[in-house]
Amino acid sequence: GAKFIHVFYCFARHVMIEKMKKLSLGTGIPFAEAVMRRPRNRYIVKARHRVAYSKLLQILQREYFVFQEYRRKAQ
């Protein structure tokens, strides 16, 4: 449900940030610091969250659809 999607989104964001930290280490590119900063405008934060959440939901729905089609064709 919605709680699972939210937890999965938070986990994916955490993994992405950790991977960016690892990849940008020693390169002089402050990607991870930019991601960790929080904008002062709460509207922008909420808008970014909605966009990312919607995108993740679309991806999960598409995967579910492909899985169902594969299962249907396998029978």
Side-chain angles (χ1 to χ4, degrees), residues 44-58:
I44 293 173
V45 172
K46 289 181 180 182
R48 285 182 184 168
H49 179 264
R50 279 194 308 269
V51 168
Y53 188 81
S54 297
K55 192 71 170 172
L56 177 64
L57 187 59
Q58 288 173 358

Side-chain angles (χ1 to χ4, degrees), residues 6-20 32-39 45 48-49 52 56:
H6 180 70
V7 169
F8 194 75
Y9 166 76
C10 290
F11 175 71
R13 184 176 185 275
H14 173 74
V15 169
M16 178 195 69
I17 289 171
E18 291 302 315
K19 186 161 187 137
M20 286 175 65
E33 289 81 14
V35 171
M36 293 301 289
R37 280 199 193 129
R38 300 206 181 251
V45 172
R48 285 182 184 168
H49 179 264
L56 177 64

Side-chain angles (χ1 to χ4, degrees), residues 20-34:
M20 286 175 65
K21 282 181 185 178
K22 191 179 203 180
L23 292 174
S24 67
L25 189 66
T27 61
I29 304 171
F31 286 132
E33 289 81 14

Side-chain angles (χ1 to χ4, degrees), residues 65-75:
F65 176 75
V66 169
F67 181 73
Q68 292 297 339
E69 286 294 311
Y70 178 75
R71 180 184 283 173
R72 187 178 58 85
K73 289 180 181 180
Q75 291 179 352

